[in-house]
Amino acid sequence: MLTAKEKQFVEYWEKNRDKKKQLLPQLLPGLIIGLLMGAAILIVLDSGWYERANMVAATQLNPYILLTAVMAIAIFSAIFYKKHKWEMNEQLYKELKAKKENTYSQNNAANQPFI
């Protein structure tokens, strides 16, 4: 048998699984996580803890390329994070549906007379 929380999740996921699979709803919330990762890269680069890397970056690094790379990392990590989360929810949904059907079939088998 499914618990009340599991039943609520199954009902929620049946209604919202198609909306959550689209790219734009996955991109917007995950973009915050991606931007945090990009900000961490910029902080490490700006902190000066590795002087040789800072010297090379100051002479050879184009700031536009750096910002483009940070944005690419942010967008990639946002999409990857949300797609992974969607896949985990989909897997849980399938497991709960299988559990529900297994319980239902066992109850029917128990009520059937043995021939």
Side-chain angles (χ1 to χ4, degrees):
M1 293 299 295
L2 297 178
T3 64
K5 190 174 182 179
E6 291 172 339
K7 288 178 184 178
Q8 288 176 347
F9 174 77
V10 169
E11 290 172 7
Y12 167 79
W13 197 246
E14 284 175 349
K15 293 177 185 174
N16 296 314
R17 68 192 284 198
D18 291 331
K19 283 190 272 186
K20 298 278 184 175
K21 192 173 184 177
Q22 296 172 353
L23 183 63
L24 191 61
Q26 288 182 346
L27 179 65
L28 295 178
L31 197 58
I32 294 170
I33 292 170
L35 288 175
L36 287 175
M37 290 179 65
I41 292 170
L42 292 175
I43 289 170
V44 166
L45 188 61
D46 193 45
S47 68
W49 68 273
Y50 188 42
E51 291 181 25
R52 185 172 178 188
N54 284 343
M55 287 187 290
V56 171
T59 60
Q60 298 177 356
L61 186 65
N62 186 347
Y64 296 116
I65 293 174
L66 177 65
L67 291 177
T68 303
V70 167
M71 287 304 297
I73 290 169
I75 290 170
F76 172 77
S77 60
I79 292 172
F80 183 80
Y81 170 75
K82 292 305 279 184
K83 287 225 180 256
H84 175 70
K85 190 172 180 181
W86 186 90
E87 287 290 335
M88 296 298 288
N89 284 338
E90 184 70 12
Q91 179 67 29
L92 179 62
Y93 169 74
K94 288 180 180 178
E95 289 174 2
L96 292 176
K97 290 294 276 187
K99 181 179 175 182
K100 183 178 177 182
E101 290 174 8
N102 190 16
T103 304
Y104 179 73
S105 64
Q106 285 179 353
N107 287 341
N108 282 347
N111 293 335
Q112 298 281 332
F114 185 73
I115 298 175

